[in-house]
Amino acid sequence: TSSPHYDFVIVGGGTSGLVVANRLSELHNVTVAVIEAGESVLNNFNVTNVMGYSTAFGTQVDWAYQTENQTYADGLQQTVRAGKALGGTSTINGNSYTRAEDLQIDTWEVVGNKGWNWKNLLTYYKKSEGFEVPTEDQIAHGANYNASYHGLDGPLKVGWPYSMTNSSVFHALKDTMEKMGMNYNPESEGGKMVGFTVHPDTVDREKNVREDAARAYYWPYETRSNLKIISNTRGNKIIWANSTAGGDAVAAGVEVTTEYGTEIIYVDREVILSAGALRSPALLELSGVGNPALLGQHGIPVKVNLTTVGENLQDQTNNALSWAGVDTVTGLATFSALPSVNQLYGDKADALAASVKSQLASYARTVAQASNGVLKEANLLEAFNLQHDMIFKSQVPYTEIVFSPLGQSFAVEYWPLLPFSRGHVHIRSANASDLPAINPNYFMFAQDAEAQVTVAKYIRKSMATAPVSGLIREEQSPGLEVLPTDASRETWDKWVKAHYRTNYHPVGTLSMLPREKGGVVSPELKVYGTKNVRVVDASVLPFQLCGHLVSTLYAVAEKASDIIKESY
Ligand code: FDA
């Protein structure tokens, strides 16, 4: 029998990978294979149930990666969840659909990625979206939209579950947040996110099930004979051709391990890595693309010297408070407040801007040192200055606060959106079955921890403001015995670090940036030094976003698919 071969081999059938698989297999004359470590979850209730957030955690569909001990967070580890299934992390996530601040996407172009800006990406957000226009009743409960920002014909169903109309707290929260100085934002998907909003979800409203990447981009197309899903199969590494193309390494295939053993799947055109921000870097390193010092430690021959593979890891940190509720609230409705730094810090914002500005050079030095000099201070400083401008000059949202009243409990979780901390992810060994070593360096900088405290205090103040104050009883967690109103900064800091979790938004580990700025992929998402290897997943986002990630990842993968198609 002849060896299997395809025009395109995609490693990782997750959120991004299935978009690319779908769009490339629209071309009848090409063949596409997707290698996915997990399997179908079409009938897994922990996945499909729109009220089932977190029920899939710790099951066989969760990679449940463990971080290294976190030096700046009392040495504790974190569990970083990620989906191991056809559909990837979109099968276990919180279903929130929020995009980004327009300026943040424009920044990608500012730093050297031609063609990557909000205006252009908006066409791809819309291309991916099958917007479910809210009913009158849903609008009365906080759903809203401006038609010019939505696509009606894309594969991904986006809208509000009908059950949101059981909720009675929208008006109370809206009034309270207005008193806190925050306006209701009827449309947060148009690039302006500051305000109080009831954003849509990735949900199939009619079937009342989660809309994940497989449901949107694979199952309706499963009969395509040129699209092959190879599930329960791990991609180990890229196999290279003996000859190069003008000095660039040429991928000939992918070594995979199934339950029956290890084999090679050959590729005629391209390998596309879509294994997620915590795994695509490992696939490159196992293939000999990375930092020669690290590859040498593991006895892996260097194919491409690209020192920044796995660096620039940016994630967020999440804490929660909760109150006993007075009203029993049913249905599924989540409400988000996205205040700017001025709304949070009030008249202290200017002093904070100056203080953070004066520390940016030292932030850059610390991150560069933590990368063993692989990242350059000047590049980091450029990125941090842009981030500072976004926060303090452009006033993008500084934190997201999510109110989840349900039954007798009123939970409020939050995460500062743009921490300065950066870490890395690298292989532990040359064995592809070993999970990578992940070090996000949470709370590397005092301001990242300080923000975590300030937002918690802001939430307490909001919850004590009428009319919401009338809907709740005592604070249950952490509670005033644990954290009295006048608790010291130290006590707060301890609470934050003992109870935070990752916000599960790792990005940046194979950043799309010019090579001289520490980038790993070009604006065409091609890995520098290779002829036919691209990356399409959260790894390529050069900077953290104010939105949740999937909407942007679907858009990026749609654009990537066009780029790949145009190149042939
Ligand atoms: P993704 O993880 O989707 O895909 C990678 C795929 O590659 C997986 O299917 C994996 O099994 C596979 N794979 C990995 N290694 C492999 C190998 N060696 N061989 C073969 N296959 C391999 N975002 C949002 O927008 N709204 C939200 O509400 C939330 N909430 C949320 C909650 C939780 C708990 C998490 C963990 C994450 C979120 N997110 C979120 C984030 C969001 O879901 C996430 O960023 C994207 O789904 C990531 O998409 P990717 O395509 O990058 O990787």
Side-chain angles (χ1 to χ4, degrees), residues 20-283:
V20 180
N22 176 311
R23 294 304 182 188
L24 293 180
S25 63
E26 285 175 343
L27 304 174
H28 298 297
N29 57 345
V30 306
T31 54
V32 179
V34 177
I35 298 162
E36 169 53 46
E39 60 185 11
S40 166
V41 287
L42 191 61
N43 298 309
N44 181 334
F45 187 63
N46 291 333
V47 169
T48 57
N49 178 9
V50 295
M51 300 283 284
Y53 180 61
S54 85
T55 53
F57 293 180
T59 71
Q60 80 281 359
V61 303
D62 176 10
W63 285 99
Y65 296 111
Q66 295 297 312
T67 68
E68 303 293 282
N69 295 339
Q70 290 302 284
T71 309
Y72 307 94
D74 298 341
L76 301 172
Q77 289 181 310
Q78 281 284 321
T79 301
V80 189
R81 308 201 178 277
K84 182 183 184 181
L86 197 60
T89 305
S90 73
T91 69
I92 67 163
N93 75 7
N95 278 343
S96 296
Y97 182 93
T98 75
R99 291 175 179 171
E101 194 74 9
D102 48 10
L103 274 171
Q104 289 182 308
I105 307 297
D106 289 342
T107 303
W108 298 0
E109 187 157 58
V110 169
V111 294
N113 297 303
K114 192 163 182 306
W116 291 90
N117 53 57
W118 170 259
K119 186 160 177 270
N120 180 267
L121 203 65
L122 181 58
T123 63
Y124 290 104
Y125 282 112
K126 290 163 77 168
K127 182 176 183 184
S128 70
E129 186 182 23
F131 186 60
E132 301 162 311
V133 175
T135 62
E136 286 298 312
D137 199 13
Q138 289 184 316
I139 290 171
H141 286 83
N144 218 323
Y145 70 108
N146 172 336
S148 64
Y149 295 118
H150 292 281
L152 296 172
D153 303 325
L156 181 77
K157 295 191 171 70
V158 174
W160 292 263
Y162 285 120
S163 58
M164 62 115 36
T165 56
N166 295 338
S167 171
S168 54
V169 295
F170 166 64
H171 289 284
L173 265 170
K174 179 171 170 281
D175 292 353
T176 285
M177 294 321 288
E178 271 168 12
K179 282 192 194 159
M180 293 292 292
M182 206 175 309
N183 289 331
Y184 171 59
N185 182 356
E187 175 56 278
S188 51
E189 313 294 355
K192 302 290 180 209
M193 301 177 71
V194 168
F196 172 68
T197 187
V198 186
H199 61 69
D201 292 330
T202 43
V203 61
D204 181 330
R205 183 172 63 179
E206 302 312 319
K207 293 194 181 123
N208 198 34
V209 294
R210 170 195 295 274
E211 179 77 344
D212 59 46
R215 239 173 229 282
Y217 280 92
Y218 176 63
W219 291 113
Y221 309 88
E222 65 170 320
T223 57
R224 281 185 191 166
S225 60
N226 61 339
L227 172 57
K228 171 95 173 152
I229 303 285
I230 305 172
S231 55
N232 285 310
T233 299
R234 186 183 66 231
N236 295 334
K237 60 180 174 184
I238 296 165
I239 302 299
W240 302 103
N242 290 329
S243 56
T244 62
D248 288 340
V250 179
V254 177
E255 183 196 282
V256 304
T257 297
T258 70
E259 56 183 312
Y260 306 110
T262 295
E263 61 173 306
I264 295 173
I265 296 176
Y266 290 93
V267 62
D268 295 330
R269 291 189 182 180
E270 291 195 9
V271 171
I272 295 148
L273 301 181
S274 299
L278 301 176
R279 283 307 273 284
S280 289
L283 280 158

Side-chain angles (χ1 to χ4, degrees), residues 323-387:
W323 281 262
V326 177
D327 279 357
T328 297
V329 183
T330 54
L332 182 80
T334 51
F335 307 90
S336 291
L338 293 143
S340 66
V341 76
N342 281 8
Q343 288 171 327
L344 270 171
Y345 283 86
D347 53 15
K348 298 195 182 94
D350 286 349
L352 180 66
S355 145
V356 172
K357 187 90 188 173
S358 73
Q359 294 172 67
L360 294 183
S362 106
Y363 289 2
R365 198 174 322 120
T366 304
V367 174
Q369 276 166 6
S371 76
N372 293 319
V374 161
L375 297 178
K376 302 294 170 227
E377 274 179 56
N379 293 330
L380 289 161
L381 188 57
E382 183 193 5
F384 290 161
N385 273 315
L386 286 165
Q387 185 167 330

